[in-house]
Amino acid sequence: MPLEDDLFVNDDLDNSAENRLNHVLFGLFLKDEYRREILRRLGVAQDAIIYKPSNRSWGRPDFAMESRHGDTLGYIEVELDKDLGQLAHYQANAEASVYSFGREKRDHNITLQELVGIGECIVENDPAPQFELMVRHFAKQVSEAAGNRKAPPPGPVQAQLKTPLGKALLKVGMVNWGEEPIRPGKLYGRTNGPDGISVRVFAPKRKGSDKTVGLLNITAGRPVVRFAIHSHLAGYLHDNKRAALDEWADFIEQQLDGDIRITGTRHCPIDLSVVEDNVDDMLEAMLPLC
C-alpha cells in the first residue's frame, strides 16, 4: 500500500477542468470491475492499486499504479491535449511506464470516451444507482472538458456483423443502431466501439430517451457473451413479457448452461462458441422479448 506521505490530497478543483475530471475518475476506480478493465487494457496486473501520488523528481503524474507488495507498476497521466510536452517529459524521465488517457486514440492508450464506454457497459449489466450516477457524472465531465460538446451516442455495429452471431441477428431482422426509430417488435444492435455489440429490445419502463435494454453484449471482441440478469430485464421490460422472460431464462439454463436468475451477480458470461453452436435456438427464444 502507498505510504501516507505519497498520497496527494491538494487537488485544485476550482481552476482546473482536468483535475475535476480526474477527481470523478478516481471515484470510478472504487468499482472493482471498472478498475480491473482499465488495468487489463493497460497490460498491468489487475490487482494493482490506483492512487493519486505526491511529487516525483520528474514531476507529479495524475495517478500511480502500485502492486500489493508496494512495487510501482506505472503511472497514468490524463490529458486534455493542452500540454502534451509535459506528457512526453514524464515518459522520458519516469522510472516506470507512463500511460495516458486523452481525446485521440492515436496519441493515448485509452480515450476519454472509451473510459465513459467502459462504465456504461458495466452499468448495462449492473444497474447499481450510485455507480450509474458516477458514470453519468463522468460522461458530463468529459463532455464539458471537451468544450461543452456532447459525448457521441452509441453507434452502429461494425465488425461484429461479420461474425456468425452478427449474421444470424441480421437474418432475423435486427436493426443496426440509428437505422430506425425504437419501437416494440424489433431487435436493435448498437456499440460503443468497432469490435463490440449490445443486442437490445424495447424497454418501456426505462427513463430518459434511450428506451432500450440490453439482453446480451460482447465487449471489445472478447470471446465471451455476457447475458443480462433476469431481475435487471424484469425492471425494464413490459409486464406482459414476464412469461417470455422466464422462458428465456429457462433456455439459457437448459441449453447454454448458464443462469441469469442468480442473485448478487452483474451478468452471466457464456463462451461465444457455445452461443454460436446454439444461435438459431437462442434467437427463437429471444424474439418473444422484443
XYZ file of all heavy atoms in Angstrom, residues 81-147:
523
model
N -5.131 17.343 -23.883
C -4.378 17.644 -25.105
C -3.955 19.112 -25.191
O -3.852 19.680 -26.270
C -5.199 17.253 -26.349
C -5.575 15.775 -26.325
O -4.853 15.001 -25.659
O -6.568 15.405 -26.953
N -3.691 19.689 -24.009
C -3.191 21.060 -23.970
C -1.721 21.127 -23.561
O -1.081 22.159 -23.706
C -4.038 21.892 -22.997
C -5.492 22.045 -23.432
C -6.279 22.874 -22.419
C -7.731 23.018 -22.859
N -8.526 23.810 -21.880
N -1.206 20.016 -23.016
C 0.169 20.024 -22.529
C 0.829 18.680 -22.824
O 1.291 17.983 -21.911
C 0.204 20.313 -21.027
C 1.598 20.706 -20.545
O 2.516 20.738 -21.390
O 1.766 20.971 -19.346
N 0.875 18.307 -24.102
C 1.472 17.038 -24.473
C 2.987 17.039 -24.259
O 3.599 15.977 -24.142
C 1.144 16.717 -25.930
C -0.337 16.451 -26.226
C -0.543 16.177 -27.705
C -0.863 15.301 -25.381
N 3.591 18.223 -24.170
C 5.008 18.297 -23.874
C 5.316 17.763 -22.479
O 6.335 17.100 -22.263
N 4.416 18.048 -21.537
C 4.595 17.531 -20.179
C 4.520 16.014 -20.177
O 5.314 15.344 -19.508
C 3.523 18.101 -19.248
C 3.569 17.524 -17.847
C 2.495 18.108 -16.953
O 2.713 19.125 -16.301
N 1.329 17.475 -16.917
N 3.573 15.464 -20.926
C 3.445 14.011 -21.016
C 4.720 13.397 -21.577
O 5.226 12.400 -21.055
C 2.248 13.639 -21.894
C 2.075 12.151 -22.219
C 1.877 11.327 -20.961
C 0.885 11.951 -23.179
N 5.264 14.004 -22.630
C 6.494 13.483 -23.228
C 7.648 13.543 -22.233
O 8.481 12.625 -22.170
C 6.834 14.279 -24.488
N 7.690 14.606 -21.434
C 8.737 14.737 -20.416
C 8.615 13.633 -19.371
O 9.621 13.014 -18.984
C 8.634 16.104 -19.740
C 9.540 16.269 -18.550
N 10.893 16.473 -18.676
C 9.261 16.225 -17.212
C 11.429 16.565 -17.461
N 10.457 16.411 -16.555
N 7.385 13.380 -18.922
C 7.160 12.318 -17.944
C 7.610 10.964 -18.506
O 8.291 10.185 -17.843
C 5.686 12.247 -17.569
C 5.181 13.353 -16.672
C 3.836 13.407 -16.305
C 6.027 14.350 -16.194
C 3.354 14.412 -15.478
C 5.557 15.365 -15.385
C 4.218 15.396 -15.027
O 3.752 16.384 -14.215
N 7.204 10.684 -19.730
C 7.506 9.386 -20.337
C 9.011 9.197 -20.543
O 9.512 8.072 -20.508
C 6.754 9.236 -21.656
C 5.237 9.090 -21.462
C 4.450 9.106 -22.757
O 4.858 9.748 -23.731
N 3.325 8.411 -22.792
N 9.725 10.296 -20.741
C 11.166 10.204 -20.968
C 11.952 10.068 -19.672
O 13.078 9.551 -19.680
C 11.652 11.435 -21.736
N 11.378 10.503 -18.543
C 12.150 10.581 -17.309
C 11.674 9.687 -16.176
O 12.437 9.449 -15.228
C 12.179 12.030 -16.812
C 12.985 12.947 -17.713
O 14.201 13.014 -17.630
N 12.286 13.650 -18.604
N 10.452 9.179 -16.255
C 9.926 8.352 -15.173
C 10.637 7.009 -15.112
O 11.119 6.492 -16.131
C 8.424 8.146 -15.353
N 10.695 6.429 -13.925
C 11.357 5.140 -13.737
C 10.470 3.969 -14.130
O 10.919 2.814 -14.174
C 11.785 4.989 -12.269
C 10.690 4.622 -11.288
C 9.750 5.774 -10.933
O 9.903 6.886 -11.501
O 8.868 5.570 -10.083
N 9.198 4.238 -14.421
C 8.255 3.208 -14.854
C 7.430 3.761 -16.009
O 7.468 4.967 -16.300
C 7.342 2.781 -13.701
N 6.700 2.902 -16.680
C 5.909 3.322 -17.842
C 4.872 4.372 -17.447
O 4.244 4.283 -16.390
C 5.195 2.116 -18.461
O 6.124 1.179 -18.962
N 4.696 5.369 -18.306
C 3.671 6.397 -18.104
C 2.634 6.229 -19.205
O 2.914 6.450 -20.383
C 4.261 7.819 -18.149
C 3.144 8.851 -17.981
C 5.320 7.992 -17.063
N 1.434 5.802 -18.816
C 0.333 5.628 -19.752
C -0.494 6.913 -19.762
O -0.433 7.721 -18.825
C -0.544 4.453 -19.325
C 0.222 3.160 -19.151
C 0.752 2.802 -17.910
C 0.429 2.293 -20.220
C 1.459 1.627 -17.736
C 1.135 1.109 -20.061
C 1.650 0.785 -18.809
O 2.348 -0.385 -18.655
N -1.286 7.090 -20.826
C -2.048 8.333 -20.898
C -3.475 8.097 -21.363
O -3.757 7.202 -22.148
C -1.354 9.328 -21.836
O -1.324 8.847 -23.172
N -4.365 8.927 -20.824
C -5.764 8.993 -21.249
C -5.971 10.367 -21.882
O -5.510 11.373 -21.347
C -6.720 8.856 -20.063
C -6.575 7.590 -19.263
C -7.051 7.523 -17.956
C -5.973 6.465 -19.800
C -6.938 6.367 -17.213
C -5.846 5.294 -19.062
C -6.321 5.251 -17.752
N -6.670 10.402 -23.010
C -6.922 11.683 -23.657
C -7.966 11.561 -24.736
O -8.681 10.565 -24.813
N -8.043 12.564 -25.607
C -9.133 12.613 -26.580
C -8.920 11.697 -27.772
O -9.839 11.046 -28.236
C -9.316 14.054 -27.061
C -9.865 14.985 -25.981
C -10.356 16.291 -26.601
N -10.872 17.168 -25.572
C -10.368 18.361 -25.266
N -9.310 18.803 -25.912
N -10.907 19.102 -24.326
N -7.698 11.652 -28.287
C -7.455 10.946 -29.539
C -6.717 9.635 -29.298
O -5.713 9.605 -28.593
C -6.642 11.828 -30.492
C -7.327 13.127 -30.888
C -8.568 12.893 -31.717
O -8.651 11.839 -32.391
O -9.463 13.764 -31.701
N -7.204 8.554 -29.907
C -6.600 7.244 -29.722
C -5.161 7.215 -30.227
O -4.310 6.526 -29.652
C -7.438 6.188 -30.463
C -6.994 4.752 -30.203
C -7.220 4.340 -28.758
C -6.890 2.891 -28.531
N -7.078 2.488 -27.129
N -4.873 7.944 -31.279
C -3.517 7.893 -31.838
C -2.477 8.472 -30.880
O -1.280 8.182 -31.000
C -3.469 8.645 -33.175
C -3.713 10.135 -33.070
C -3.574 10.825 -34.417
N -3.769 12.256 -34.325
C -4.946 12.851 -34.460
N -6.028 12.121 -34.706
N -5.057 14.167 -34.358
N -2.921 9.289 -29.922
C -1.988 9.932 -29.002
C -1.987 9.309 -27.608
O -1.105 9.613 -26.806
C -2.331 11.417 -28.863
C -2.207 12.167 -30.177
O -1.280 11.840 -30.944
O -3.042 13.043 -30.442
N -2.963 8.446 -27.309
C -3.145 7.983 -25.942
C -3.477 6.494 -25.894
O -3.973 5.925 -26.862
C -4.248 8.792 -25.248
C -3.988 10.261 -25.217
N -3.052 10.833 -24.380
C -4.514 11.288 -25.950
C -3.026 12.146 -24.588
N -3.889 12.446 -25.535
N -3.236 5.885 -24.730
C -3.545 4.462 -24.546
C -5.044 4.205 -24.511
O -5.528 3.210 -25.061
C -2.909 3.957 -23.248
C -1.394 4.068 -23.263
O -0.847 5.045 -22.749
N -0.725 3.098 -23.853
N -5.789 5.065 -23.850
C -7.245 4.942 -23.760
C -7.835 6.336 -23.930
O -7.335 7.307 -23.330
C -7.697 4.351 -22.401
C -7.036 2.998 -22.146
C -9.220 4.202 -22.354
C -7.376 2.392 -20.788
N -8.879 6.463 -24.732
C -9.513 7.765 -24.904
C -10.485 8.041 -23.760
O -10.961 7.129 -23.081
C -10.270 7.856 -26.233
O -11.400 6.976 -26.197
C -9.377 7.496 -27.408
N -10.800 9.303 -23.575
C -11.767 9.688 -22.545
C -13.129 9.068 -22.825
O -13.820 8.619 -21.903
C -11.882 11.209 -22.481
C -10.589 11.976 -22.152
C -10.850 13.477 -22.155
C -10.010 11.520 -20.825
N -13.518 9.012 -24.096
C -14.810 8.439 -24.431
C -14.818 6.934 -24.188
O -15.855 6.362 -23.827
C -15.179 8.759 -25.885
C -16.636 8.441 -26.230
C -17.608 9.082 -25.266
O -17.494 10.268 -24.943
N -18.563 8.310 -24.784
N -13.683 6.282 -24.386
C -13.599 4.860 -24.063
C -13.761 4.638 -22.566
O -14.364 3.650 -22.131
C -12.266 4.287 -24.551
C -12.217 4.057 -26.056
C -10.851 3.607 -26.533
O -9.833 3.971 -25.912
O -10.797 2.883 -27.551
N -13.245 5.550 -21.752
C -13.424 5.450 -20.305
C -14.898 5.537 -19.944
O -15.385 4.821 -19.060
C -12.652 6.562 -19.595
C -11.122 6.517 -19.699
C -10.515 7.780 -19.080
C -10.568 5.276 -19.021
N -15.622 6.418 -20.628
C -17.074 6.503 -20.420
C -17.753 5.212 -20.852
O -18.601 4.660 -20.147
C -17.662 7.706 -21.187
C -19.193 7.710 -21.097
C -17.101 9.018 -20.658
N -17.363 4.708 -22.028
C -17.987 3.491 -22.562
C -17.791 2.285 -21.672
O -18.690 1.448 -21.541
N -16.623 2.167 -21.037
C -16.379 1.062 -20.117
C -17.382 1.118 -18.969
O -17.971 0.106 -18.569
C -14.937 1.109 -19.596
C -13.953 0.787 -20.724
C -14.737 0.128 -18.435
C -12.509 1.086 -20.378
N -17.589 2.311 -18.436
C -18.559 2.463 -17.353
C -19.971 2.148 -17.787
O -20.726 1.473 -17.069
N -20.354 2.609 -18.976
C -21.709 2.359 -19.469
C -21.951 0.874 -19.700
O -23.054 0.365 -19.455
C -21.941 3.159 -20.752
C -22.010 4.660 -20.521
C -22.116 5.445 -21.818
O -21.749 4.913 -22.887
O -22.568 6.607 -21.763
N -20.935 0.172 -20.154
C -21.047 -1.268 -20.377
C -21.280 -1.994 -19.059
O -22.092 -2.920 -18.973
C -19.799 -1.784 -21.071
S -19.867 -3.542 -21.480
N -20.582 -1.581 -18.008
C -20.763 -2.199 -16.692
C -22.159 -1.915 -16.168
O -22.822 -2.786 -15.598
C -19.692 -1.689 -15.717
C -18.302 -2.191 -16.157
C -19.975 -2.146 -14.289
C -17.154 -1.585 -15.381
N -22.649 -0.695 -16.373
C -23.983 -0.319 -15.894
C -25.069 -1.172 -16.548
O -26.072 -1.517 -15.921
C -24.241 1.183 -16.145
C -25.719 1.523 -15.958
C -23.382 2.027 -15.204
N -24.870 -1.534 -17.818
C -25.865 -2.343 -18.509
C -26.107 -3.666 -17.797
O -27.218 -4.197 -17.793
C -25.423 -2.619 -19.949
C -25.542 -1.421 -20.865
C -25.262 -1.781 -22.307
O -24.953 -2.955 -22.575
O -25.367 -0.890 -23.167
N -25.080 -4.207 -17.174
C -25.186 -5.499 -16.510
C -25.291 -5.381 -14.997
O -25.615 -6.360 -14.323
C -23.972 -6.364 -16.872
C -23.932 -6.690 -18.354
O -24.672 -7.528 -18.833
N -23.079 -5.986 -19.090
N -25.006 -4.218 -14.469
C -25.069 -3.997 -13.025
C -25.600 -2.582 -12.787
O -24.829 -1.658 -12.554
C -23.674 -4.169 -12.413
C -23.666 -3.883 -10.926
O -24.733 -3.984 -10.299
O -22.591 -3.563 -10.379
N -26.927 -2.400 -12.854
C -27.505 -1.056 -12.764
C -27.546 -0.511 -11.338
O -28.585 -0.039 -10.856
C -28.919 -1.275 -13.324
C -29.244 -2.688 -12.941
C -27.943 -3.450 -13.064
N -26.408 -0.580 -10.622
C -26.329 -0.019 -9.279
C -26.478 1.498 -9.374
O -25.721 2.150 -10.086
C -24.989 -0.394 -8.643
N -27.450 2.087 -8.673
C -27.758 3.518 -8.854
C -26.564 4.434 -8.625
O -26.368 5.382 -9.378
C -28.873 3.762 -7.836
C -29.511 2.433 -7.638
C -28.397 1.443 -7.746
N -25.759 4.188 -7.581
C -24.652 5.091 -7.287
C -23.600 5.064 -8.394
O -23.112 6.108 -8.831
C -24.007 4.731 -5.948
C -22.924 5.710 -5.510
C -23.468 7.105 -5.243
O -24.471 7.267 -4.538
N -22.836 8.123 -5.820
N -23.256 3.857 -8.870
C -22.250 3.768 -9.930
C -22.804 4.337 -11.234
O -22.083 5.008 -11.972
C -21.820 2.317 -10.129
C -20.728 2.165 -11.157
C -19.446 2.594 -10.887
C -20.999 1.619 -12.406
C -18.427 2.465 -11.833
C -19.998 1.495 -13.362
C -18.708 1.920 -13.064
N -24.076 4.079 -11.528
C -24.678 4.641 -12.741
C -24.603 6.160 -12.712
O -24.301 6.808 -13.721
C -26.128 4.179 -12.875
C -26.804 4.705 -14.137
C -28.211 4.181 -14.322
O -28.737 3.531 -13.389
O -28.788 4.419 -15.395
N -24.871 6.755 -11.536
C -24.783 8.204 -11.409
C -23.353 8.688 -11.613
O -23.118 9.705 -12.279
C -25.289 8.634 -10.025
C -25.246 10.138 -9.731
C -26.142 10.901 -10.696
C -25.649 10.418 -8.295
N -22.387 7.945 -11.080
C -20.993 8.331 -11.248
C -20.577 8.296 -12.713
O -19.844 9.177 -13.186
C -20.100 7.397 -10.426
C -20.139 7.636 -8.930
S -19.454 9.241 -8.456
C -17.722 9.012 -8.859
N -21.051 7.293 -13.448
C -20.730 7.199 -14.872
C -21.341 8.377 -15.619
O -20.700 8.992 -16.477
C -21.215 5.861 -15.450
C -21.053 5.841 -16.976
C -20.439 4.701 -14.839
N -22.597 8.706 -15.299
C -23.242 9.865 -15.944
C -22.490 11.138 -15.610
O -22.311 12.028 -16.465
C -24.691 9.953 -15.494
C -25.610 8.868 -16.096
C -26.968 8.853 -15.414
N -27.520 10.179 -15.321
C -28.392 10.564 -14.376
N -28.797 9.707 -13.464
N -28.865 11.784 -14.358
N -22.064 11.249 -14.356
C -21.312 12.430 -13.932
C -20.006 12.530 -14.716
O -19.630 13.614 -15.203
C -21.018 12.319 -12.428
C -20.574 13.610 -11.799
N -21.304 14.273 -10.849
C -19.462 14.368 -12.005
C -20.675 15.375 -10.486
N -19.549 15.451 -11.174
N -19.323 11.400 -14.877
C -18.058 11.399 -15.606
C -18.271 11.739 -17.078
O -17.495 12.490 -17.678
C -17.379 10.033 -15.472
C -16.022 9.966 -16.102
C -14.974 10.737 -15.613
C -15.780 9.147 -17.195
C -13.717 10.690 -16.194
C -14.532 9.088 -17.779
C -13.488 9.864 -17.286
N -19.352 11.191 -17.670
C -19.664 11.495 -19.068
C -19.896 12.991 -19.253
O -19.438 13.594 -20.234
C -20.886 10.698 -19.517
N -20.596 13.605 -18.305
C -20.828 15.050 -18.383
C -19.515 15.804 -18.226
O -19.264 16.803 -18.915
C -21.817 15.475 -17.299
C -22.172 16.957 -17.344
C -23.231 17.313 -16.313
C -23.573 18.797 -16.383
N -24.603 19.169 -15.395
N -18.659 15.315 -17.326
C -17.365 15.963 -17.114
C -16.516 15.904 -18.381
O -15.883 16.884 -18.767
C -16.639 15.242 -15.969
C -15.594 16.075 -15.280
C -16.206 17.009 -14.249
O -17.373 16.868 -13.913
N -15.441 17.953 -13.770
N -16.508 14.754 -19.038
C -15.758 14.607 -20.287
C -16.319 15.547 -21.348
O -15.573 16.202 -22.081
C -15.798 13.144 -20.782
C -15.267 13.025 -22.210
C -14.993 12.244 -19.846
N -17.647 15.621 -21.421
C -18.284 16.482 -22.411
C -17.915 17.942 -22.185
O -17.555 18.663 -23.123
C -19.801 16.303 -22.351
O -20.456 17.209 -23.207
N -17.974 18.399 -20.940
C -17.672 19.792 -20.641
C -16.183 20.082 -20.820
O -15.796 21.170 -21.265
C -18.126 20.131 -19.226
C -19.639 20.114 -19.069
C -20.105 20.689 -17.752
O -19.240 21.072 -16.937
O -21.322 20.752 -17.539
N -15.348 19.100 -20.497
C -13.910 19.288 -20.697
C -13.560 19.400 -22.166
O -12.548 19.997 -22.537
C -13.136 18.140 -20.057
N -14.417 18.823 -23.014
C -14.192 18.879 -24.457
C -14.777 20.143 -25.075
O -14.890 20.250 -26.283
C -14.801 17.649 -25.124
N -15.169 21.083 -24.245
C -15.700 22.335 -24.761
C -17.204 22.301 -24.923
O -17.739 22.839 -25.893
